[in-house]
Amino acid sequence: MRQSKEPKEGDFITIKSYKHDGSLHRTWRDTMVLKTSENALIGCNDHTLVTEADGRRWVTREPALVYFHKHYWFNIITMIRDNGISYYCNLASPAVLDREALKYIDYDLDVKVFPSGEKKLLDVDEYQLHGAQWHYSTEIDRILKHNVLTLVDWIEHKKGPFSQEYVDIWYSRYLELSRQEQ
């Protein structure tokens, strides 16, 4: 996750997701960086402007911790809502951070985890459609299926972003940094 001028805690970065064909999929402006390390980046989106590929714009509704790792083919969004914690996990290429943004390729499949703990695999039809359209290799298919299993294991064992301790630590840090910004 290293770059020439690594963002520091409290800095803001842009996140860009692309599709396999190289087209821009979605952009998040002003994600606050909470932690960077050699392998990972943790940030927070809170009322963050999101721009879709078709130009449509919207603003995130609640605080969401974001977790990107340079070795895993997924990223994790922890949505902190009044009715509990929800997770949205994108199956995606490992993130790369450059001067412009943190970037990754979105591979359509998503795992949603509800506050009750129920898990749901989403967008299988989109994955199959794009896989045929853009010729996802058998290697990418194998990697993504393996990473779904890793992700489900993390969810079931409340590992990393799925632990209450992680949410408490990083959301508290976000609130602390936000107060300093004002």
Side-chain angles (χ1 to χ4, degrees), residues 124-182:
V124 174
D125 51 345
E126 189 180 346
Y127 176 74
Q128 291 169 337
L129 175 74
H130 287 156
Q133 181 182 349
W134 294 322
H135 310 290
Y136 293 173
S137 68
T138 54
E139 177 71 2
I140 284 178
D141 189 60
R142 184 189 62 73
I143 289 169
L144 293 172
K145 286 177 178 165
H146 172 75
N147 276 266
V148 168
L149 298 176
T150 302
L151 189 56
V152 168
D153 182 67
W154 282 28
I155 294 165
E156 289 176 352
H157 292 97
K158 299 192 181 325
K159 184 175 173 185
F162 301 101
S163 75
Q164 188 61 50
E165 182 182 42
Y166 169 96
V167 175
D168 293 345
I169 288 168
W170 294 111
Y171 186 54
S172 293
R173 187 63 187 136
Y174 165 70
L175 292 174
E176 198 177 304
L177 290 168
S178 294
R179 282 191 291 274
Q180 292 172 12
E181 290 284 314
Q182 296 171 352

Side-chain angles (χ1 to χ4, degrees), residues 15-26 28 68-69 72-75 89-97 101-110 126-127 130-131 134-137 140 143-144 147:
I15 298 172
K16 291 186 172 194
S17 74
Y18 294 85
K19 286 301 188 178
H20 184 77
D21 70 345
S23 62
L24 183 63
H25 173 54
R26 186 172 289 137
W28 291 260
F68 294 90
H69 197 282
Y72 293 110
W73 284 64
F74 54 78
N75 56 65
C89 312
N90 296 295
L91 274 293
S93 68
V96 174
L97 186 60
L102 183 140
K103 300 172 180 177
Y104 65 91
I105 298 169
D106 181 300
Y107 279 104
D108 315 309
L109 291 172
D110 304 299
E126 189 180 346
Y127 176 74
H130 287 156
W134 294 322
H135 310 290
Y136 293 173
S137 68
I140 284 178
I143 289 169
L144 293 172
N147 276 266

Side-chain angles (χ1 to χ4, degrees), residues 80-92:
I80 301 164
R81 296 182 167 153
D82 293 339
N83 67 343
I85 307 286
S86 295
Y87 295 89
Y88 200 87
C89 312
N90 296 295
L91 274 293

Side-chain angles (χ1 to χ4, degrees), residues 6-56:
E6 190 170 289
K8 299 181 307 300
E9 178 184 82
D11 286 351
F12 289 89
I13 62 167
T14 297
I15 298 172
K16 291 186 172 194
S17 74
Y18 294 85
K19 286 301 188 178
H20 184 77
D21 70 345
S23 62
L24 183 63
H25 173 54
R26 186 172 289 137
T27 302
W28 291 260
R29 289 282 314 267
D30 299 330
T31 296
M32 181 188 279
V33 173
L34 302 177
K35 178 179 191 223
T36 56
S37 70
E38 189 173 329
N39 293 319
L41 182 139
I42 299 169
C44 189
N45 288 325
D46 191 0
H47 295 86
T48 300
L49 176 64
V50 180
T51 305
E52 302 289 341
D54 64 7
R56 198 168 40 91

